[in-house]
Amino acid sequence: MISVVPHLRRRALNTVPLAKAYTGRANSFGFLRLCFAFAVVLAHAAVLGFTQPLTNRFDVPGLAVAGFFGISGFLITRSARRSTLPRYLWHRALRILPGLWGCLLVTGLVLAPSLWYLKHHTLDGLWRSNGGVVDYLRNNWWGGMRQGGILDLLLDTPYGQFTHVALVNGSLWTLSYEIACYLIVAALAALMVLHRARLLVLLSGVLVFGVLVWNHFEQLRFGHAPLWTEGLFGPFPLLGSFAKAWFLWYGFMFLMGAAAELYSDRLPINDLLGVASLAVLAGFVVNGGLFGPGLLFYEYTILWLAVRLPRALHRVGRTNDYSYGVYIYAFPVQQTMAKFGVTVLGLWGFFAVTAAAAFACAYASWHLVEKPALRWRNWTPRSLREPEPGRGEPNPAGSEEGQPEPSRTGPSTSTPAPAPADQTPVASPELAGR
């Protein structure tokens, strides 16, 4: 025991830059993503099964989705710096779209017909009716959740009866925010900001943090946060409109992850700083203000945990990343099981059964759709391929494709949050459209 104390003291006082602490796939990002995904499932179990929030102290699903964005900002920026712009966009499309398309097709062509037939004993009126399956697929195909339900399916669930909203998959709304962040990074890469003007990213983060601090104190003083917290902006082609508040909060987490990657050679990783950041974060979570100044401490805590958690956790998500599938499939699974009375098992029983079913869907999605799609990450159109050595011109030095970063996922995105006025409400701890 005595010999352990000096070791812990040395480790606590040891400071290394993030660039040195983070080494390839030897990190716990995969484990953290999976934890965030199941946190969303747990929070939605309470909302969808029992029409009440998991806790009134803080927004559990919002906290989890913010974590997704913090991780994505770091990994996606790393990908953009190591790849050509077309390759970066190709990798991002391969990672997010095939899984989404698979989920939409399963929902629209398997789940919806089954539920519709059980209710009407026919499939007439399901496909091309206004708000039917065809509309559902078309409106959500490119990541913007512009239609939350399919006709009146699942209106007879506990959540549907409470809110009078027929909602099939309320978790998809955050994907448009994620895609928007991808496109912003692409623009920064095209303008060479990521390579030659990284200070602009840091200054942008400082500016947004100032807005969060101002809003926080205005909220404490007057009960109202004035800057960029109300209304929508957009709509944008394919993605729809964005709620200003959620774009501010999740965008800041993504921005801080990006800044951490760009300044990883200078960002110190220290256990004392990590514990202190975790303590401050806990204070914000319990007392309010997480979606404000607390997000900065949340980002540092995530990065610290990613490189400091036990090595055994590094294996989670390294080869098979199920977090995205868990996130996008859990909502329809929980809605369907709530409809058929699985809530009789109580909150934790309902969570256990639906989490297992969501994981089974995620397992199938990864091995049948997502992983096979990623095998195409190094594909290049024939017209752009370099001549093979010995055939035509020699392959120039330095033309090797950049290696893809560890896969993401995501809301995220995510869990439902206050829905923009022009979108179908989704489940939230407050049952007000998240």
Side-chain angles (χ1 to χ4, degrees), residues 72-96 177-190 194-195 254 258 374 377-379 401-406 408:
S72 287
F74 182 85
L75 296 179
I76 299 310
T77 302
R78 190 176 183 87
S79 171
R81 295 183 74 196
R82 294 183 169 193
S83 307
T84 63
L85 181 59
R87 183 67 61 188
Y88 161 79
L89 293 172
W90 177 241
H91 286 170
R92 302 281 43 85
L94 284 179
R95 186 62 192 98
I96 199 168
Y177 291 73
E178 182 91 4
I179 293 171
C181 290
Y182 293 170
L183 296 177
I184 291 172
V185 169
L188 295 177
L194 300 183
H195 291 281
F254 194 97
L374 289 175
R377 61 192 173 208
N378 292 323
W379 174 79
E401 296 291 350
Q403 295 300 312
E405 81 295 347
R408 174 241 175 248

Side-chain angles (χ1 to χ4, degrees), residues 77-253:
T77 302
R78 190 176 183 87
S79 171
R81 295 183 74 196
R82 294 183 169 193
S83 307
T84 63
L85 181 59
R87 183 67 61 188
Y88 161 79
L89 293 172
W90 177 241
H91 286 170
R92 302 281 43 85
L94 284 179
R95 186 62 192 98
I96 199 168
L97 291 178
L100 170 63
W101 292 340
C103 182
L104 291 174
L105 290 173
V106 169
T107 303
L109 303 183
V110 179
L111 178 62
S114 300
L115 295 176
W116 186 265
Y117 190 84
L118 285 174
K119 183 176 183 179
H120 300 283
H121 306 291
T122 179
L123 295 181
D124 293 344
L126 173 65
W127 307 108
R128 305 194 66 85
S129 299
N130 186 30
V133 168
V134 173
D135 283 346
Y136 179 79
L137 295 177
R138 180 173 57 243
N139 289 328
N140 300 328
W141 195 251
W142 298 106
M145 196 188 85
R146 294 177 290 176
Q147 181 179 328
I150 299 176
L151 299 172
D152 63 347
L153 290 179
L154 298 175
L155 188 61
D156 53 350
T157 63
Y159 177 78
Q161 293 175 343
F162 186 86
T163 61
H164 306 292
V165 173
L167 191 60
V168 173
N169 196 337
S171 293
L172 299 183
W173 73 272
T174 58
L175 297 186
S176 61
Y177 291 73
E178 182 91 4
I179 293 171
C181 290
Y182 293 170
L183 296 177
I184 291 172
V185 169
L188 295 177
L191 295 172
M192 299 303 293
V193 171
L194 300 183
H195 291 281
R196 299 180 182 177
R198 63 179 184 172
L199 181 61
L200 291 178
V201 176
L202 182 61
L203 292 177
S204 298
V206 172
L207 176 62
V208 177
F209 183 70
V211 171
L212 294 175
V213 172
W214 176 264
N215 282 342
H216 178 64
F217 284 107
E218 289 296 294
Q219 182 73 38
L220 293 177
R221 292 173 60 195
F222 304 111
H224 174 68
L227 298 178
W228 201 258
T229 57
E230 296 181 353
L232 310 172
F233 68 99
F236 296 91
L238 303 180
L239 298 180
S241 298
F242 296 90
K244 292 180 180 179
W246 291 107
F247 198 89
L248 176 67
W249 297 329
Y250 291 158
F252 176 74
M253 286 296 291

Side-chain angles (χ1 to χ4, degrees), residues 39-60:
V40 172
V41 178
L42 176 59
H44 284 174
V47 173
L48 300 179
F50 304 92
T51 64
Q52 60 185 8
L54 183 63
T55 174
N56 291 315
R57 300 290 296 183
F58 62 95
D59 183 355
V60 175

Side-chain angles (χ1 to χ4, degrees), residues 235-321:
F236 296 91
L238 303 180
L239 298 180
S241 298
F242 296 90
K244 292 180 180 179
W246 291 107
F247 198 89
L248 176 67
W249 297 329
Y250 291 158
F252 176 74
M253 286 296 291
F254 194 97
L255 183 59
M256 285 297 93
E261 203 287 324
L262 294 174
Y263 284 89
S264 60
D265 57 332
R266 298 186 183 184
L267 181 62
I269 296 296
N270 176 281
D271 286 351
L272 288 179
L273 288 176
V275 172
S277 182
L278 182 60
V280 174
L281 173 64
F284 277 114
V285 168
V286 173
N287 299 311
L290 170 64
F291 289 101
L295 291 176
L296 180 64
F297 299 94
Y298 190 24
E299 180 63 30
Y300 186 85
T301 300
I302 290 172
L303 296 172
W304 172 65
L305 290 173
V307 298
R308 290 302 202 194
L309 285 174
R311 293 183 179 179
L313 299 179
H314 294 176
R315 301 174 184 176
V316 179
R318 180 187 297 177
T319 303
N320 302 307
D321 182 8

Side-chain angles (χ1 to χ4, degrees), residues 333-355:
V333 165
Q334 290 180 307
Q335 279 281 69
T336 303
M337 290 194 171
K339 170 184 171 65
F340 291 108
V342 181
T343 52
V344 70
L345 299 175
L347 174 60
W348 290 102
F350 181 64
F351 165 68
V353 172
T354 57

Side-chain angles (χ1 to χ4, degrees), residues 386 394-401:
E386 296 287 348
N395 199 21
S399 64
E400 182 180 356
E401 296 291 350

